Amino acid sequence: MLEQIAMHQRFYSLMMVEKETHSLTNLMRQQLTRDIENDLKRTQEKGIQLPMPPEVMAQFYGGAIVTLGGWWLENGMSISIEELAHYLDLLLTGLELLS
């Protein structure tokens, strides 16, 4: 996702950062949330117990990832894709460690 945003920076800036339109942001969040939810449900099917319903987890993670992408654009992509992805991994791992 971050690479896609970087490749089409102007487009995503207009659609995610501009306050007049939120439709692309919502569509992106909805699709990402569906994908995450499906992954989490497959995890449950393998017998792995989740700490909460997959729908709740998917909404949280999907919203966080899309919001982070918007922040990154608003701040002129001041850090690299690799660095941002690393921070996202640390945040997600950190949340698991806190529970």
Side-chain angles (χ1 to χ4, degrees):
M1 172 108 191
L2 296 174
E3 290 175 0
Q4 183 71 15
I5 291 172
M7 285 176 33
H8 304 286
Q9 177 182 2
R10 180 71 183 135
F11 174 75
Y12 281 100
S13 290
L14 289 172
M15 300 309 286
M16 292 176 71
V17 178
E18 297 296 323
K19 303 302 179 208
E20 283 75 37
T21 180
H22 298 285
S23 60
L24 180 61
T25 302
N26 286 335
L27 289 172
M28 289 172 55
R29 184 188 49 76
Q30 289 169 4
Q31 182 60 51
L32 185 56
T33 298
R34 271 193 299 272
D35 292 345
I36 293 169
E37 186 175 334
N38 289 336
D39 287 346
L40 290 170
K41 286 180 178 179
R42 281 192 292 277
T43 297
Q44 280 184 316
E45 290 169 2
K46 294 177 183 176
I48 298 171
Q49 201 162 23
L50 300 175
M52 64 192 75
E55 298 84 2
V56 172
M57 294 176 71
Q59 287 295 324
F60 175 80
Y61 289 122
I65 292 167
V66 170
T67 300
L68 186 59
W71 170 85
W72 187 50
L73 289 170
E74 287 175 348
N75 288 279
M77 296 169 40
S78 58
I79 57 178
S80 71
I81 293 172
E82 295 79 16
E83 192 174 9
L84 186 59
H86 175 70
Y87 291 153
L88 183 58
D89 287 342
L90 287 175
L91 285 167
L92 298 178
T93 301
L95 289 175
E96 291 172 6
L97 294 174
L98 292 174
S99 59

